[in-house]
Amino acid sequence: MPFEVTIERDADIEALSPEKARKAVAERSEVLAKVFEEAGEDVDHTLVRVESFKSGSDLVTYIRKMNDELSKIGVRVQTFDTLADARDNAQKMLDESRRTPTEPQRFAPKPDAKNDKKVEYKSFGQSFLESDFYKAALVHSNAKGELKEADAARWLMESKTAFTTAAGWAPESLRIGRVVLDQQRPIEITDVIPSFPTGRDLVKFMEETTFTNNSAERAENAAYAEGALALTEQSDEVESVGVSLSVTDEQLEDVEGVAAYLDQRLGFMVRQRLDPQIIQGNGSTPNLLGTMNKGSIQTQAKGADSVPDAVYNAITLVRHTGFAEPSVVLMHPNDWQTVRLLTTADGVYIWGSPASAGPEMIWGVPVIVSSALTENTGIVGDYSRFSGLFLRRGLTVETGYVNDDFLDGRQTIRAGLRVAMVHFRAAAFCTVTGI
């Protein structure tokens, strides 16, 4: 099927303008969606009419070729979005970007001598007096209680070959320099949201809520048709996310690297908490307003469709109703597994061979897999142009005294940030349910 935007080699993709790149994605996505729709649940090549295929293998080859082309074009679109973000984020808070991640294993605590096994060391004479040789020799001693020379010599000879840890050095016990961190969900969603600085506790913006276009042709000397526009002020509150931990003076003083380790882990805790708030926060202070609780966002039920079809329908809603271009698809790992394991009726994997990594894209849109989402519900959204994290205070780690900390020889370390999650256009986001 011919396309308006033709691509014969990779160089053609690199030459695409933003408008043509998005047009190319839309054209190819539409054809590929039609192929899936006609192939049905069993992905039967004989049912496809939009293109002609001799076998299931030909169908898979075509799907992979189209998906590969969509992925490459998607990267081109991402490049434009990234450049736009870089331009808009010139004033972004620098404190977090300047932070150097700490490798805890570089600051492994040194061994504590108090924890070493206690060994009782005995003098040479004491060892001799407590030995079985001495007790046995007493039985054969002379009338004055003196040991026979042969018995003493025998003990000395035997003791030369019994230099054990009880009478000599105990082995030195040292830990290796590795700290095994607890398994935790990595931070994925925060990184795809554009960030902006703000100097206020409330982020306000104007939204065009009325747009009536009555433009019409007119005759000479006739009145112009009257249109209508109206703006409404919208706002999102800046909220605080933080965590604290108490640590003794001795721990900070005696173990090199503890402060750096605590700084890094507490900062990670804050950023990890931010991920699900971006998606599921209910908007009631002190919670952020997450995408799934933003009023008027769109929704697409999977129903009898395949997961790729349901995702494409959501992409279409974002494009057709929201007049936006999805920048990312967010899915739970178990839901993405369903897509990754799709096969044709004759068992050929559609999303790539098990021997290859496969594309982390669907319909040319990058997929972010995160357990911060609720299973069976995905999100399609134009986060790059119609959302933003507004930082009132970037991630900071501070130390102080709480209650009796000073008297008890403790310090309290706290990490936190203040941020607002803003969705500028609700219709630019769509949930996909039942996947």
Side-chain angles (χ1 to χ4, degrees):
M1 181 176 181
F3 297 117
E4 288 186 31
V5 181
T6 58
I7 295 173
E8 297 179 357
R9 54 189 187 279
D10 289 349
D12 295 336
I13 297 176
E14 296 300 321
L16 292 175
S17 65
E19 293 75 17
K20 285 188 176 294
R22 292 189 172 91
K23 177 69 174 176
V25 168
E27 286 183 326
R28 285 152 180 80
S29 297
E30 186 176 350
V31 171
L32 202 51
K34 190 67 175 175
V35 168
F36 271 106
E37 180 183 347
E38 293 179 346
E41 265 191 24
D42 294 331
V43 195
D44 189 343
H45 71 280
T46 62
L47 302 177
V48 180
R49 297 291 177 267
V50 68
E51 293 284 349
S52 178
F53 302 105
K54 296 179 181 179
S55 66
S57 295
D58 285 347
L59 172 59
V60 170
T61 299
Y62 176 82
I63 291 173
R64 287 179 180 171
K65 177 180 178 297
M66 291 292 289
N67 198 56
D68 182 58
E69 200 167 277
L70 276 168
S71 297
K72 291 177 180 178
I73 302 171
V75 170
R76 179 69 173 168
V77 173
Q78 273 188 286
T79 301
F80 294 128
D81 291 340
T82 300
L83 291 174
D85 290 343
R87 178 194 62 206
D88 296 336
N89 295 344
Q91 299 299 318
K92 182 179 179 180
M93 306 290 282
L94 298 178
D95 57 334
E96 185 167 338
S97 66
R98 288 174 175 169
R99 292 179 59 83
T100 302
T102 302
E103 299 177 12
Q105 56 266 37
R106 292 175 53 200
F107 303 99
K110 297 179 179 178
D112 186 352
K114 293 183 292 185
N115 294 328
D116 290 346
K117 182 179 179 181
K118 296 288 185 180
V119 179
E120 183 181 358
Y121 295 96
K122 301 176 181 179
S123 68
F124 185 83
Q126 184 181 3
S127 296
F128 173 67
L129 293 175
E130 294 178 2
S131 69
D132 292 336
F133 292 105
Y134 176 73
K135 296 173 183 176
L138 287 177
V139 178
H140 302 288
S141 63
N142 57 28
K144 296 181 180 180
E146 297 172 342
L147 293 180
K148 295 179 180 179
E149 184 177 346
D151 288 327
R154 180 167 166 259
W155 179 83
L156 288 171
M157 184 61 69
E158 292 292 335
S159 64
K160 286 197 304 182
T161 59
F163 191 76
T164 65
T165 56
W169 277 302
E172 187 176 9
S173 178
L174 295 173
R175 285 193 295 263
I176 64 172
R178 176 170 179 175
V179 175
V180 181
L181 300 180
D182 186 51
Q183 67 271 23
Q184 291 294 324
R185 174 181 54 79
I187 300 165
E188 297 129 331
I189 297 174
T190 305
D191 295 336
V192 302
I193 313 295
S195 296
F196 309 93
T198 181
R200 302 184 180 278
D201 64 348
L202 197 65
V203 178
K204 294 184 178 182
F205 61 95
M206 300 302 294
E207 180 181 10
E208 189 176 69
T209 50
T210 298
F211 179 90
T212 305
N213 184 1
N214 289 325
S215 298
E217 298 69 31
R218 56 178 289 277
E220 182 180 1
N221 204 33
Y224 283 82
E226 183 178 355
L229 293 171
L231 302 178
T232 302
E233 183 181 84
Q234 306 289 3
S235 64
D236 286 280
E237 292 189 43
V238 170
E239 305 290 359
S240 177
V241 182
V243 66
S244 68
L245 183 143
S246 180
V247 57
T248 63
D249 296 342
E250 290 80 4
Q251 179 74 178
L252 291 172
E253 293 168 0
D254 296 345
V255 184
E256 182 182 3
V258 162
Y261 163 74
L262 294 176
D263 287 357
Q264 191 271 339
R265 293 305 276 169
L266 291 177
F268 174 83
M269 289 179 183
V270 173
R271 297 182 64 229
Q272 187 190 54
R273 176 59 185 168
L274 188 57
D275 259 16
Q277 280 284 296
I278 289 172
I279 298 302
Q280 302 185 47
N282 62 22
S284 177
T285 298
N287 294 285
L288 301 177
L289 179 59
T291 303
M292 298 187 73
N293 287 302
K294 171 70 176 176
S296 302
I297 67 168
Q298 304 189 78
T299 186
Q300 172 68 47
K302 174 183 176 295
D305 293 333
S306 66
V307 175
D309 285 355
V311 171
Y312 187 77
N313 290 337
I315 291 174
T316 300
L317 284 175
V318 170
R319 288 173 176 164
H320 177 68
T321 306
F323 293 100
E325 186 62 37
S327 63
V328 68
V329 175
L330 305 176
M331 297 183 75
H332 189 279
N334 291 342
D335 298 331
W336 177 241
Q337 173 182 277
T338 303
V339 177
R340 192 68 178 84
L341 298 181
L342 279 174
T343 59
T344 64
D346 44 3
V348 181
Y349 285 96
I350 296 175
W351 243 256
S353 165
S356 62
E360 294 296 309
M361 284 193 168
I362 186 168
W363 306 112
V365 181
V367 175
I368 299 297
V369 180
S370 175
S371 55
L373 278 83
T374 301
E375 192 173 350
N376 304 127
T377 300
I379 298 177
V380 175
D382 190 347
Y383 283 94
S384 64
R385 289 184 293 178
F386 294 104
S387 77
L389 279 173
F390 284 80
L391 296 171
R392 178 66 178 90
R393 184 183 74 240
L395 181 63
T396 58
V397 181
E398 300 170 301
T399 303
Y401 297 109
V402 178
N403 299 326
D404 293 332
D405 277 359
F406 183 77
L407 291 176
D408 295 339
R410 290 191 304 264
Q411 298 179 42
T412 296
I413 303 175
R414 73 177 192 185
L417 54 76
R418 295 181 64 202
V419 64
M421 178 62 195
V422 180
H423 298 80
F424 294 107
R425 181 184 293 175
F429 304 89
C430 183
T431 59
V432 186
T433 60
I435 58 178

